[in-house]
Amino acid sequence: MTDVNGNHLAKVRIKDLLLRAYIGIKEEEINNQQDVLINVALTYDATEAVNKNEISAALNYRTITKQIIHHVDGNRFALLERLTREVLTIVMEHEAVQWAEVEIDKPHALRYAESVSVCLQAHR
């Protein structure tokens, strides 16, 4: 097998994290939980993880996912934009993360549309 040397910038994707939250400004939205679909993409330098092959050297994306679940599930948000920014902040709080993009869908938010989503990015 050919060895690949150099830095290993890993792109991690957390796909289709389905949670429920109170999101919106109409009375029906304030009083009833709705589905939100969260997608996260992030990059980090995985060189140490690749070389050591040990979990302690890798970014713990399970921890990130648990933090997102704890923050979002069952909580209240007026705007999708605010929720997206808060989730992006959770991801970027991890020092190893160099770049992140969070997209959150609110299914059936508009008549005739599958969903509405907001996408935000941040980098160091």
Side-chain angles (χ1 to χ4, degrees):
M1 181 188 327
T2 303
D3 192 23
V4 178
N5 294 319
N7 288 338
H8 298 280
L9 188 63
K11 188 168 193 176
V12 175
R13 295 180 190 271
I14 300 167
K15 297 181 182 181
D16 299 334
L17 180 60
L18 181 61
L19 302 175
R20 295 188 57 74
Y22 298 93
I23 181 147
I25 55 172
K26 293 190 262 178
E27 185 176 343
E28 179 182 316
E29 296 171 321
I30 293 170
N31 294 326
N32 298 299
Q33 289 190 63
Q34 299 171 69
D35 290 342
V36 290
L37 194 61
I38 301 173
N39 286 283
V40 176
L42 63 88
T43 60
Y44 84 102
D45 183 352
T47 303
E48 190 176 346
V50 168
N51 291 336
K52 290 185 175 182
N53 195 31
E54 294 175 2
I55 189 69
S56 62
L59 177 69
N60 191 333
Y61 42 85
R62 182 177 184 203
T63 298
I64 294 172
T65 303
K66 283 183 173 185
Q67 290 172 327
I68 294 169
I69 293 167
H70 178 74
H71 185 74
V72 175
D73 207 35
N75 285 323
R76 296 185 182 276
F77 307 92
L79 298 175
L80 195 54
E81 291 84 350
R82 177 60 180 253
L83 172 57
T84 305
R85 194 213 49 180
E86 290 180 14
V87 171
L88 182 59
T89 298
I90 290 168
V91 175
M92 292 303 294
E93 284 175 348
H94 295 264
E95 286 185 31
V97 175
Q98 296 177 0
W99 169 89
E101 178 179 85
V102 172
E103 181 176 16
I104 301 182
D105 284 81
K106 185 176 171 185
H108 311 293
L110 293 174
R111 196 165 145 189
Y112 305 119
E114 174 106 11
S115 70
V116 169
S117 71
V118 170
C119 186
L120 295 173
Q121 295 182 9
H123 62 87
R124 294 197 195 285

